[in-house]
Amino acid sequence: MSTWMKMSLPDSASPIMEQLIFFHDHTLFISLMILSTVMYMMMMMFKNKLINRNLNENQMIETTWTIMPALILVTIAIPSLKILYMMEEIINPVITIKTMGHQWFWSYEYSDKNQIEIESYMEKKKKLKKFRLLDVDNRISLPYLTQSRMLISSTDVLHSWTIPSLGLKMDAIPGRLNQISMIINKPGLFFGQCSEICGTNHSFMPIVLESVKMKYFIKWINK
């Protein structure tokens, strides 16, 4: 879980988040290389007191600084498109959860198994022990290493269902059903919050997903 002292991205708990972190590092390295090159050229130009009359309308320089940015953009675009296709792909989900955003809480429905409906509100201050503004009274549960799908919509205004450590973010739009696919690598609690300004209590509708073994999930869903 991220804290205010942490500067890096949250630890990944899904293949998608791993790819997003790799892409972030890849793009950051390219950006730093561009920055250092431009800074070096600017410093050399400040030190150079001579004027090269052949520098104006130099075709080789024009060609170079046109082709080089195009190649850089290609090296960024290819892995970016690959991740986008991975995030959109739905591969035979074992479990489907329907998620609805409300002002200001989330509701969940496990409709393909036993009919289970959950309303998830932020935990009251009196009961909080550790996770301030992050814990909820009813957590959703999913088995790890299992392909799952989430259908997301809203009953009133725009919301956004987000869990950073899983690399998940999908808008909840009234009258429209969006879907995301996920597979979790490890057990644990994963926290998120609404990421779309949705009204007065926008900051008070957190998300908590609990990843467990399949046998514990089956036991929980059959209660």
Side-chain angles (χ1 to χ4, degrees), residues 25 34 41 85 100 108 133 145 187 204 217:
D25 296 340
I34 295 172
M41 293 177 66
Y85 277 107
M100 299 294 292
Y108 304 95
L133 300 181
L145 300 180
F204 304 105
F217 175 76

Side-chain angles (χ1 to χ4, degrees), residues 28 30 32 45 54 71 80-81 92 120 127 141 153 161 163 183 204 214-215:
L28 183 62
I30 293 174
L32 291 175
M45 289 178 66
N54 296 321
L71 293 176
S80 175
L81 292 172
N92 297 326
S120 182
K127 297 181 180 179
S141 182
S153 187
W161 197 87
I163 298 183
I183 181 168
F204 304 105
M214 178 60 82
K215 63 178 182 180

Side-chain angles (χ1 to χ4, degrees), residues 104 120-124 133-137 203-206:
W104 288 271
S120 182
Y121 292 84
M122 188 179 72
E123 189 65 276
K124 295 179 180 179
L133 300 181
L134 287 176
D135 210 352
V136 295
D137 54 359
S203 302
F204 304 105
M205 47 184 304

Side-chain angles (χ1 to χ4, degrees), residues 18 27 71 77 100 107 115 139 161 163 174 185 190 194 196 208 221:
E18 288 178 4
T27 308
L71 293 176
M100 299 294 292
S107 65
Q115 193 73 20
R139 300 169 178 170
W161 197 87
I163 298 183
N185 285 340
F190 305 105
C194 178
E196 184 74 34
V208 182
I221 208 167

Side-chain angles (χ1 to χ4, degrees), residues 92-97 110 112-113 141-143 146-150 214 217 221:
N92 297 326
V94 178
I95 299 164
T96 299
I97 304 176
Y110 294 77
D112 56 351
K113 306 297 179 184
S141 182
L142 280 175
T146 303
Q147 191 73 38
S148 305
R149 177 178 62 168
M150 188 158 288
M214 178 60 82
F217 175 76
I221 208 167

Side-chain angles (χ1 to χ4, degrees), residues 14 30 46 65 81 97 108 125 138 157 179 200:
S14 70
I30 293 174
F46 285 137
W65 70 35
L81 292 172
I97 304 176
Y108 304 95
K125 293 182 180 180
N138 292 311
V157 298
Q179 69 175 356
T200 307

Side-chain angles (χ1 to χ4, degrees), residues 13-110:
S14 70
I16 291 296
M17 190 58 189
E18 288 178 4
Q19 293 298 317
L20 288 172
I21 292 174
F22 291 152
F23 177 69
H24 170 268
D25 296 340
H26 168 74
T27 308
L28 183 62
F29 176 76
I30 293 174
S31 301
L32 291 175
M33 290 294 293
I34 295 172
L35 177 63
S36 58
T37 302
V38 171
M39 293 295 293
Y40 173 76
M41 293 177 66
M42 290 178 65
M43 292 175 63
M44 294 303 296
M45 289 178 66
F46 285 137
K47 291 180 180 180
N48 186 9
K49 297 181 180 179
L50 302 176
I51 298 175
N52 186 352
R53 63 185 180 84
N54 296 321
L55 190 62
N56 294 330
E57 298 184 7
N58 189 302
Q59 295 298 321
M60 182 58 69
I61 293 178
E62 293 281 352
T63 304
T64 302
W65 70 35
T66 302
I67 293 177
M68 286 298 293
L71 293 176
I72 292 171
L73 288 175
V74 169
T75 60
I76 294 175
I78 291 175
S80 175
L81 292 172
K82 177 184 175 182
I83 295 173
L84 284 174
Y85 277 107
M86 288 174 60
M87 294 175 72
E88 293 293 330
E89 191 173 9
I90 305 294
I91 308 173
N92 297 326
V94 178
I95 299 164
T96 299
I97 304 176
K98 184 179 179 182
T99 301
M100 299 294 292
H102 309 264
Q103 290 182 312
W104 288 271
F105 66 96
W106 297 98
S107 65
Y108 304 95
E109 180 182 334
Y110 294 77

